[in-house]
Structure formats: C-alpha cells, structure tokens
Amino acid sequence: MGTDAHGEDELRLFHTGEHACGYWPGRVARDLVLDPRDPRLPRWYPLALAWGFRRSGDIVYRPHCAACRACVPVRIPVARFVPNRTQRRCLQRNAAVESRVCPAVRSDEHLALYRRYLQSRHPGGGMENHGAVEFDQFLIGSWSEVRFLELRERGRLLAVAVTDLADGALSAVYTFYEPAEAHRSPGTLAILHQLQWARREQRAHLYLGYWIGAHPKMDYKRRFRPLEAFDGRGWRDFDPDRGAFA
C-alpha cells in the first residue's frame, strides 16, 4: 500500500495461489490480480491494460508464473495496421457481413450462440454448461464499459466480439461465433472489424490479450502486423515468428 499523486491509497495487487494452467495441460499457473473490491477499478483499468493486464468478468489479471513467461501481452497499433493478403481475402469472402456496435445486454439469441460455440469449441472444459448467469459474469461483469460487436449476414447472427472501451483503445475480451461458419474465419473477421471500429474513433490500440508461442488457439494473433508486446516496462514492436522484440 501507498499513496498516489492525488493522495489516495494505491490499488492493491494480489498474487494468487497456484492453479491449473488454462493453456497447457499438466502445468500450473499463478496470476497478479488487481483488488476486485476497489471501487476505483474502472478508473485504473485503462492503465492496467497498458501494464499488460486483461479483464475476465470483474477480475483484472496478468499471468505471473514462477517458471514460465509464455504469455506475452500484445496489442495492434491501429494506425500502422495494414491487412495482409489472407486478411483481405477474409474481408472479401465475408463482404455480405455487416457489423454493429451495440450495448452489452445479453439476449436469448446471444446466449444460444454462446452455448453452441462452447459446446463445439470447448467440450469437457467446464464451460460448456454456462448459462445466463455465467454469461453475464464472464463476459460483461459489473463495472466495465463494454460493448458487443455483432456480425450479421442478412440478419442472421454469426459472431459477437465482446469489446471493452478504454481511453484511446479497445480491448478484445472474447469472441464467440457460429461453429458451422468456422471455415469463414469469423474470429479473424471480428478483429478486422474491431480495427475498423478503432480507426473510425481514432483509437490508438486494439489489445488482444496474450500471445503464446506454438499454442494453436493463440496462433492467429501473430498474423496481425505490426504487433506490439509488453516487455515488463513498456510496449515495443514484436516479431512473434522469432518470439523476439524487433
């Protein structure tokens, strides 16, 4: 504990106990967590993003494992981003898809899509039985300024990108989509539409959470260039192909 420049107590930081790693079976993980009971957390959250933290429900955390540094916080500098050929093809292939930013209010349509996604993509992982309460707790939370970016084709809901608003930035919290449409790369499409949204509003960065080298579910993040990563002190250009700072 201490005081900040305004004479207020600094936000407390906790180190969790060991728990099962959510990415690598058989490994254990630990996290740094900002005090979830502090009423100033919404004000601190944009700074926490800039320090490499991420939100899950009302919890703002950063992996801090004893013998592993595989989770690398990454973000896209919006003004410098140029879609590559594969991403341009993704946009062309989904030219009929329209995006809409709307309030983060769960509907029956959202919940049904979310449940289909979890049952298809994460069977046996403990999330496939999520209902309305878990949806709200995990994706929306009680204090964050969050929006749903809906992707629709002729009115049919294809994907929802849960997105936090922060000073000068967007943060991609979670995306779920129609499993039968996975061949259309809806996850990539959602990020491309988030980047368009950020550019329209002149936001400097889109935070993508953590990149993990050689992990199949995190591989897509390396395809967005340029990519910046947090080195513990600041953000620097990062080459995920080499796993090194540029």
Side-chain angles (χ1 to χ4, degrees), residues 6 11 16 18 29 35 43 52 114 121 128 139 181 183 187 189 195-196 206 209 219 232:
H6 301 286
L11 194 61
T16 70
E18 291 185 343
D35 186 353
R43 174 154 56 88
Y114 178 64
R121 301 285 291 183
E128 68 272 18
L139 299 177
E181 302 294 337
H183 63 284
L189 183 65
L195 285 163
Q196 292 173 357
L206 173 64
D219 185 63

Side-chain angles (χ1 to χ4, degrees), residues 127-138:
M127 295 177 65
E128 68 272 18
N129 294 319
H130 274 197
V133 172
E134 291 83 4
F135 182 104
D136 291 349
Q137 290 177 341
F138 173 48

Side-chain angles (χ1 to χ4, degrees), residues 45-46 49-50 53-54 74-78 101 145-147 149 161-173 190-209 235:
Y45 179 49
L49 285 172
F53 284 75
R54 182 161 179 77
V74 292
R75 69 185 187 185
I76 303 170
V78 174
V101 178
E145 190 173 0
V146 57
R147 302 288 185 272
L149 176 69
V162 182
T163 311
D164 281 348
L165 311 183
D167 295 341
L170 298 176
S171 178
V173 175
I191 293 177
L192 293 170
H193 278 273
Q194 286 172 316
L195 285 163
Q196 292 173 357
W197 171 15
R199 182 166 281 142
R200 286 194 304 270
E201 297 188 353
Q202 298 183 325
R203 296 178 184 266
H205 301 103
L206 173 64
Y207 289 90
L208 295 183
W235 293 86

Side-chain angles (χ1 to χ4, degrees), residues 7-165:
E8 297 179 336
D9 288 339
E10 291 181 351
L11 194 61
R12 290 185 295 178
L13 190 66
F14 298 98
H15 204 171
T16 70
E18 291 185 343
H19 57 85
C21 177
Y23 300 105
W24 299 112
R27 296 190 188 182
V28 295
R30 297 183 72 183
D31 301 306
L32 292 175
V33 178
L34 297 183
D35 186 353
R37 298 165 299 181
D38 195 302
R40 298 166 299 160
L41 196 55
R43 174 154 56 88
W44 283 78
Y45 179 49
L47 286 174
L49 285 172
W51 297 332
F53 284 75
R54 182 161 179 77
R55 181 181 72 84
S56 177
D58 286 341
I59 302 300
V60 179
Y61 72 98
R62 189 173 79 189
H64 195 261
C65 305
C68 179
R69 293 293 181 268
C71 294
V72 180
V74 292
R75 69 185 187 185
I76 303 170
V78 174
R80 292 197 287 147
F81 171 75
V82 178
N84 61 26
R85 183 171 62 177
T86 300
Q87 291 159 352
R88 292 195 299 270
R89 286 177 176 173
C90 179
L91 289 169
Q92 293 168 359
R93 186 166 61 249
N94 295 285
V97 175
E98 298 180 345
S99 64
R100 183 183 71 153
V101 178
C102 55
V105 179
R106 169 184 41 82
S107 68
D108 291 343
E109 185 182 30
H110 293 143
L111 181 59
L113 178 61
Y114 178 64
R115 287 176 58 83
R116 288 197 299 275
Y117 174 81
L118 292 179
Q119 290 164 5
S120 173
R121 301 285 291 183
H122 301 288
M127 295 177 65
E128 68 272 18
N129 294 319
H130 274 197
V133 172
E134 291 83 4
F135 182 104
D136 291 349
Q137 290 177 341
F138 173 48
L139 299 177
I140 301 174
S142 64
W143 55 261
S144 56
E145 190 173 0
V146 57
R147 302 288 185 272
F148 288 169
L149 176 69
E150 295 183 343
L151 299 182
R152 293 180 180 270
E153 185 175 44
R154 300 179 182 89
R156 178 181 174 231
L157 183 64
L158 297 180
V160 176
V162 182
T163 311
D164 281 348
L165 311 183

